[in-house]
Amino acid sequence: MRGRRGDRMTINIQEHMAINVCPGPIRPIRQISDYFPRRGPGPEGGGRDFREAPARLAPLALAPPAALLGATTPEDGAEVDSYDSDDTTALGMLEFDLLYDQASCTLHCSILRAKGLKPMDFNGLADPYVKLHLLPGACKANKLKTKTQRNTLNPVWNEDLTYSGITDDDITHKVLRISVCDEDKLSHNEFIGEIRVPLRRLKPSQKKHFNICLERQVPLASPSSMSAALRGISCYLKELEQAEQGPGLLEERGRILLSLSYSSRRRGLLVGIVRCAHLAAMDVNGYSDPYVKTYLRPDVDKKSKHKTCVKKKTLNPEFNEDFFYEMELSALATKTLEVTVWDYDIGKSNDFIGGVSLGPGARGEARKHWSDCLQQPDAALERWHTLTSELPPAASALPSA
């Protein structure tokens, strides 16, 4: 169709799409492996020009990435880690030693060094320190902390931190949580990574060396796990304690180290209040002002009460005080020693932290300690005892002064 010069020809869309838009027959796209020669054994291995594009060659059968790296797949029955290995390694590595001294009931933690920590500050460095917690348990009571190393991603501490009052039952059921954090003076300290070591991996009197990659913080099972912290007594992990201890058992409020000795020369019982460890926090500042009271029951004359001095703002007090009860050895066979720990408060009634009873009616280690004392006169016997939330009936009837 012709038009005048200068006139614009109009073509409808149907005609436009029909004009030279068909590309012709579609040819298969060559694979990149078709442009490279395959040289291998046999007559087909060499001699072929790489410019030829063999259409009959199949692509290479690539193995799964896990098989190439030598890792096991879920089908092999191996446990799959929920954290990516590259990301875990990026947090850094921590080197430390653990030693359980069964004779002294202590756990020695030697924090040596860390390598390749994740940068947390604007200068590309960090101010790292290490915190230790025993789980399950009171967080504030059993927290130990190293010094802070400034402006480094490869800190060296070489510090020894010690837990006292550790029993064989703790080694069986408790877990040591080791956290690496970055100290920030202008805001909240930042979490870098953590390691959780079940204490059952330790053998008595044998030092075990660890060099492990840090992991992300393990979340709690549910929000109800933090409900115990809201009570103000302690931040026990409630659900973990129920799983470990079982229903119907009393809440643990700390440990106390007692010394018992019957003196044949003085004809009386010598009770030593040595120290307490991991006490429950009763004050809003996360600490307590503890003191210890002892009674020898039955107390007809009401003269068996003894009380230590008050230790301010601590959950691991050392008393080193001795009390003497003048009494024949035969009479002690029917007596019960009640030991209670209290938190001193000004202007109001004192708070009960925990207690333990030693005597013929006690159970476990408390009964054994009492019987060994009666059977071994003039021998000083020191034992750790667990403080429970049960207040002895006789002590509950008395004022907490």
Side-chain angles (χ1 to χ4, degrees):
M1 181 179 67
R2 286 187 176 184
R4 301 178 185 178
R5 179 178 296 180
D7 293 345
R8 186 174 182 180
M9 299 179 60
T10 59
I11 304 176
N12 56 27
I13 188 63
Q14 290 83 2
E15 294 179 352
H16 173 74
M17 296 299 296
I19 297 176
N20 198 21
V21 295
C22 181
I26 299 178
R27 299 178 181 179
I29 301 176
R30 297 176 180 177
Q31 298 182 7
I32 189 171
S33 59
D34 294 338
Y35 293 91
F36 296 92
R38 288 183 173 86
R39 302 186 181 276
E44 298 180 0
R48 182 165 37 227
D49 190 359
F50 73 93
R51 289 174 295 182
E52 299 178 2
R56 294 189 301 274
L57 289 177
L60 288 174
L62 297 177
L68 293 176
L69 296 176
T72 56
T73 58
E75 288 77 6
D76 297 332
E79 183 180 356
V80 180
D81 197 345
S82 59
Y83 297 137
D84 183 73
S85 59
D86 292 339
D87 183 69
T88 303
T89 308
L91 299 178
M93 300 185 66
L94 182 65
E95 187 175 352
F96 58 96
D97 294 331
L98 297 179
L99 173 63
Y100 170 52
D101 190 346
Q102 192 176 25
S104 61
C105 297
T106 55
L107 176 64
H108 300 277
C109 309
S110 300
I111 307 301
L112 303 179
R113 63 185 62 84
K115 294 182 180 179
L117 293 181
K118 179 181 178 181
M120 304 299 292
D121 299 336
F122 291 108
N123 59 0
L125 300 174
D127 302 322
Y129 66 92
V130 178
K131 291 191 303 181
L132 304 182
H133 292 95
L134 280 178
L135 304 177
C139 296
K140 199 79 173 181
N142 59 39
K143 183 183 79 171
L144 299 178
K145 179 182 173 183
T146 66
K147 297 179 181 179
T148 302
Q149 302 296 324
R150 302 291 179 183
N151 296 325
T152 178
L153 299 180
N154 300 283
V156 178
W157 289 284
N158 289 327
E159 293 189 35
D160 294 329
L161 307 176
T162 303
Y163 280 106
S164 301
I166 302 299
T167 62
D168 292 339
D169 185 68
D170 294 329
I171 297 298
T172 305
H173 297 96
K174 288 187 178 290
V175 175
L176 179 65
R177 179 192 180 195
I178 307 177
S179 306
V180 181
C181 302
D182 172 63
E183 183 179 296
D184 196 338
K185 295 182 178 180
L186 301 180
S187 62
H188 296 289
N189 298 339
E190 296 179 296
F191 176 84
I192 299 178
E194 72 171 22
I195 297 170
R196 299 198 179 192
V197 181
L199 296 184
R200 61 178 177 268
R201 298 177 58 183
L202 305 180
K203 296 181 180 180
S205 303
Q206 292 186 14
K207 181 183 291 187
K208 190 173 181 62
H209 183 75
F210 296 86
N211 191 7
I212 310 178
C213 293
L214 297 174
E215 297 180 348
R216 297 192 195 98
Q217 191 169 12
V218 179
L220 294 174
S222 64
S224 61
S225 299
M226 293 302 295
S227 61
L230 303 179
R231 292 179 294 163
I233 297 177
S234 64
C235 49
Y236 279 75
L237 300 180
K238 187 176 181 181
E239 294 180 356
L240 291 178
E241 283 187 330
Q242 292 178 352
E244 295 289 344
Q245 297 181 353
L249 295 183
L250 298 174
E251 181 184 13
E252 181 182 325
R253 297 293 188 85
R255 306 287 172 84
I256 185 169
L257 180 60
L258 299 177
S259 174
L260 298 181
S261 176
Y262 183 81
S263 176
S264 301
R265 182 179 60 84
R266 301 174 61 185
R267 293 186 180 277
L269 176 66
L270 186 63
V271 179
I273 310 298
V274 183
R275 60 181 300 182
C276 294
H278 320 324
L279 294 180
M282 307 300 292
D283 299 336
V284 294
N285 60 3
Y287 293 96
S288 295
D289 302 323
Y291 66 94
V292 180
K293 292 192 301 181
T294 63
Y295 291 90
L296 195 60
R297 309 289 186 183
D299 185 16
V300 179
D301 298 332
K302 297 183 179 180
K303 296 181 179 180
S304 67
K305 173 185 173 182
H306 290 284
K307 185 172 69 172
T308 67
C309 62
V310 178
K311 300 295 182 179
K312 294 290 185 179
K313 196 179 179 182
T314 178
L315 300 178
N316 300 278
E318 294 188 9
F319 297 99
N320 294 317
E321 298 187 31
D322 296 329
F323 304 133
F324 183 75
Y325 293 98
E326 186 176 355
M327 189 171 298
E328 294 294 333
L329 181 61
S330 58
L332 285 176
T334 60
K335 296 290 185 177
T336 298
L337 179 66
E338 292 181 357
V339 182
T340 55
V341 183
W342 299 78
D343 171 56
Y344 177 75
D345 289 324
I346 301 177
K348 59 180 180 178
S349 60
N350 300 328
D351 298 322
F352 174 72
I353 297 179
V356 61
S357 297
L358 291 82
R363 298 179 180 179
E365 187 64 29
R367 181 173 183 174
K368 187 177 185 302
H369 193 187
W370 183 258
S371 62
D372 290 346
C373 174
L374 301 183
Q375 295 172 7
Q376 305 175 31
D378 301 317
L381 304 177
E382 286 189 359
R383 306 278 175 82
W384 283 95
H385 297 278
T386 301
L387 301 172
T388 62
S389 56
E390 182 183 26
L391 184 65
S396 61
L398 297 173
S400 59

